[in-house]
Structure formats: structure tokens, C-alpha cells
Amino acid sequence: NLSTGVQNLGDDKNFEPLDAKDIQQIVELENQLRGTDAWNNKKFEDELKLNNRSWWVCKQDENIIAYAGAMQSDNKMELLKIGVSNKHQKQGIAKQIISYVANDMRDLGAQELILEVRKNNTVAQKFYQNIGSKQIATREKYYSDSEDAIIFGGPLPILSKDVGGMNLKKVNEIV
């Protein structure tokens, strides 16, 4: 829906821009997924006030099952957070939600993606590789428990369908 930004997949899941009323649900999911690295309500509230940010949520029956946010800096989209409830992982939700954020970041001038991921989070590393990112550096003792961060960089992800429902193909898929 172009007036609200809500993107309905037709399977009871909706993707929509983050609204302040959703922050408490995100914080609860964030605490489940991130533990000591979780952001609090104030951090998310502060993020919504910044013009170079994009935050999206995925809802199922009004319950948030995923969220993602990024900031635009120079020509880069820096992925700040992405989380999918344990029950809903491996269903393609992360790829879709990061693509909605990336679309907004393109509008702000971003041309490439950059992000940090825990060294021991091999599942997330594989996901980022699958969307075209590559390991470019390491930040030692980056996380609150002193675990290293692996920095990934790559192209901005795109949706396979745009808001008009047209089938899109990546440039390298066109024959």
C-alpha cells in the first residue's frame, strides 16, 4: 500500500516502516535475540528521530516477528540491527526486510552495504555471503563480551518484486 508503506505478502505477514508504538515489541524481541548487546527503548526512539535512518518491521497478526534498521553515511548503508524471531528464521524474512531497508537507503544515496557480525555467528555470516557480501576486515574485541566482529561489505540487496508487483531481475540475471 503506497499510502502507508505496508507491504503485504499475502501470507499473513506484513512489512512496514517502524512506528514508535512498535518499539516495546522490538525491545522484547531484541532482548531474546541479543542478550547483553540488546538496545533499549530510548536507543530505538532516538533512531526514529534521525533522517539518515530506515527501520522496518515484519508483523504477523500484529506481532513483530522481525526488524531491521540501517543508517546512510557517505555512499554506504550501515546495517545497524536485524533480527528475526527464532520461530520464523529460515523463511526468507531477513532477506526481504533487509531489502526494504536497502530501498530506502538507495533513496538517501547509499550504493553499498557494510555491517558487523559476531565472529562465532557463522549462520549470519553465511546469510550475508548469500546476499552478495564479502568479509573485508575484523574488529577485535568489538562486542560487550570482547568477541571480535567480522566486517562484511557488498552490494545493496534488492527485492525480487517491487511495490507494483513487477518481477525484477538483477542485472547479472538478464540474458
Side-chain angles (χ1 to χ4, degrees):
N1 179 316
L2 292 176
S3 64
T4 62
V6 175
Q7 306 298 313
N8 186 308
L9 299 180
D11 65 353
D12 78 345
K13 292 182 186 80
N14 289 319
F15 289 85
E16 57 191 73
L18 173 61
D19 187 279
K21 69 179 173 43
D22 297 324
I23 289 176
Q24 185 55 44
Q25 275 193 68
I26 288 182
V27 169
E28 290 169 13
L29 182 54
E30 171 89 348
N31 283 324
Q32 292 170 18
L33 298 172
R34 303 285 174 254
T36 60
D37 292 321
W39 285 5
N40 60 28
N41 291 55
K42 180 160 179 18
K43 181 65 177 161
F44 282 105
E45 289 165 1
D46 291 345
E47 283 290 312
L48 281 181
K49 297 173 188 171
L50 300 171
N51 292 331
N52 67 335
R53 304 294 203 268
S54 172
W55 286 91
W56 281 74
V57 296
C58 178
K59 292 183 179 180
Q60 185 174 43
D61 302 321
E62 293 305 309
N63 295 312
I64 293 176
I65 60 172
Y67 60 95
M71 66 180 269
Q72 185 274 339
S73 179
D74 297 322
N75 68 340
K76 293 181 176 45
M77 166 186 161
E78 183 175 342
L79 186 66
L80 299 173
K81 289 282 183 175
I82 185 168
V84 179
S85 73
N86 292 328
K87 178 179 168 185
H88 296 93
Q89 291 180 5
K90 303 206 185 293
Q91 296 178 23
I93 295 169
K95 186 174 184 180
Q96 289 175 299
I97 201 165
I98 199 172
S99 296
Y100 285 114
V101 173
N103 283 343
D104 289 346
M105 291 289 104
R106 267 187 207 87
D107 290 344
L108 294 173
Q111 298 171 3
E112 55 188 295
L113 170 67
I114 191 161
L115 60 98
E116 297 95 6
V117 63
R118 284 179 170 273
K119 186 176 181 178
N120 73 359
N121 191 344
T122 56
V123 172
Q125 291 175 37
K126 184 173 172 87
F127 167 74
Y128 296 126
Q129 290 168 344
N130 287 340
I131 63 169
S133 294
K134 294 180 178 16
Q135 181 177 338
I136 58 175
T138 301
R139 285 195 178 139
E140 293 184 12
K141 299 180 181 180
Y142 178 76
Y143 291 99
S144 61
D145 61 0
S146 296
E147 184 176 351
D148 293 349
I150 307 296
I151 302 171
F152 279 79
L156 293 181
I158 62 167
L159 292 168
S160 59
K161 293 189 177 197
D162 73 359
V163 278
M166 297 174 11
N167 287 322
L168 299 177
K169 298 224 181 263
K170 293 180 184 171
V171 173
N172 60 359
E173 293 176 354
I174 297 174
V175 183

